[in-house]
Amino acid sequence: MTQPDEVWMRESLREAAAAERAGEVPVGAVIVRAGEIIGRGRNQPIARSDPSAHAEIIALRAAGTAMGNYRLVDAELFVTVEPCTMCVGAIIQARLQRVVFGCADPKAGALGGVLDLSQHPRLNHRFAVRGGVCEAEARELLQRFFRSRRGEGSGQPSD
């Protein structure tokens, strides 16, 4: 039985919360195929000293390992924040069927925020996109994280 998008997004939100607890920007992702999670990821660029360690990339790597193939045809990505160009490039290479995200990223998003690569006519793969799923929760995680980094509300001077 196919679960509603909100069910899978809540799994991504759990991953994002784990990233936040680890001091990373709170972004989480899951890859779902045939009604099962085949890959999970959370932001880890700080812990791994790796600029490519975005939640989406980690989830794609885990799903590829689980499936024994980097092509993830018929799979869907659920991620708390609109993916960047690097992540959309990996999504295209993996041939994902659909991407569902929580909140838009007007500064770096590549599925409508800054540009939209999902239907670009010159690329060799296109996929469906749905944004705004559990948007308020995803946005609040990010806002709370960045407020705490700036020291807002803690009586501490901001950086």
Side-chain angles (χ1 to χ4, degrees):
M1 177 178 166
T2 302
Q3 296 293 326
D5 291 348
E6 292 76 14
V7 169
W8 303 121
M9 188 60 72
R10 297 232 179 271
E11 290 293 324
S12 295
L13 286 163
R14 282 192 256 298
E15 294 294 331
E20 180 182 34
R21 287 190 301 275
E24 302 276 0
V25 175
V27 179
V30 297
I31 308 252
V32 176
R33 185 168 183 261
E36 292 186 31
I37 294 174
I38 59 170
R40 291 178 177 273
R42 64 182 72 120
N43 265 12
Q44 297 180 47
I46 297 168
R48 293 186 181 199
S49 298
D50 178 357
S52 72
H54 288 197
E56 301 94 322
I57 300 296
I58 292 169
L60 285 165
R61 288 175 179 158
T65 298
M67 299 305 297
N69 193 336
Y70 75 100
R71 300 280 198 214
L72 301 172
V73 179
D74 298 328
E76 300 172 294
L77 168 69
F78 294 83
V79 60
T80 57
V81 179
E82 179 185 356
C84 70
T85 55
M86 175 185 68
C87 292
V88 173
I91 289 163
I92 290 166
Q93 294 302 313
R95 304 297 194 263
L96 291 182
Q97 171 184 334
R98 187 167 80 117
V99 174
V100 178
F101 65 85
C103 62
D105 184 348
K107 294 182 179 180
L111 296 178
V114 174
L115 63 145
D116 186 354
L117 295 175
S118 68
Q119 300 297 313
H120 195 285
R122 303 224 27 214
L123 295 173
N124 64 346
H125 178 69
R126 288 165 197 73
F127 53 93
V129 175
R130 179 180 178 203
V133 176
C134 301
E135 180 176 10
E137 297 95 325
R139 179 172 284 110
E140 175 55 32
L141 265 175
L142 284 173
Q143 289 174 340
R144 182 178 65 227
F145 176 81
F146 287 113
R147 276 193 307 265
S148 74
R149 294 290 265 227
R150 290 189 302 265
E152 292 176 14
S154 68
Q156 300 294 321
S158 48
D159 296 345

